[in-house]
Amino acid sequence: DPKARDKFLGPDAAPVLQGIRDGIAASATLDAAGLEKLFHDVAEARSLGLGKVAQPVRVALTGGTASPGIYDVILLVGREESLRRLDAALKLAAG
């Protein structure tokens, strides 16, 4: 969705996307509890609400603003595909 991309994948989203990307890459195993902690840690480190973290990641992974729970999306898409999509979104966010 071009509107979602323009709204949520700008330069401000890059540090959030990078934090989630790095956390997923570093996780020994992916599970909902670990992903929830990662999202909360990234939000807290940047003094953001959880929605300001989840929404850019949602757009990066699904291309839109509506989806199942973001942790479920990551688990369904899988580690490698999630990383690939986050890397693509980071390129967009960088301009």
Side-chain angles (χ1 to χ4, degrees):
D1 176 4
K3 289 172 101 175
R5 178 193 64 221
D6 293 346
K7 182 174 181 179
F8 293 105
L9 297 182
D12 292 345
V16 169
L17 295 170
Q18 190 68 56
I20 296 298
R21 190 239 178 264
D22 292 348
I24 291 172
S27 295
T29 59
L30 287 182
D31 59 35
L35 289 169
E36 182 176 7
K37 181 177 181 341
L38 170 62
F39 274 68
H40 282 278
D41 289 350
V42 168
E44 184 177 319
R46 289 164 179 75
S47 300
L48 298 171
L50 195 55
K52 297 284 186 179
V53 175
Q55 203 65 345
V57 174
R58 177 174 284 108
V59 173
L61 296 181
T62 70
T65 57
S67 75
I70 192 61
Y71 313 135
D72 294 331
V73 170
I74 294 168
L75 294 173
L76 289 169
V77 170
R79 179 191 312 269
E80 294 309 316
E81 184 63 15
S82 292
L83 293 174
R84 187 186 70 73
R85 293 180 189 188
L86 286 165
D87 286 340
L90 280 162
K91 287 180 186 174
L92 286 172

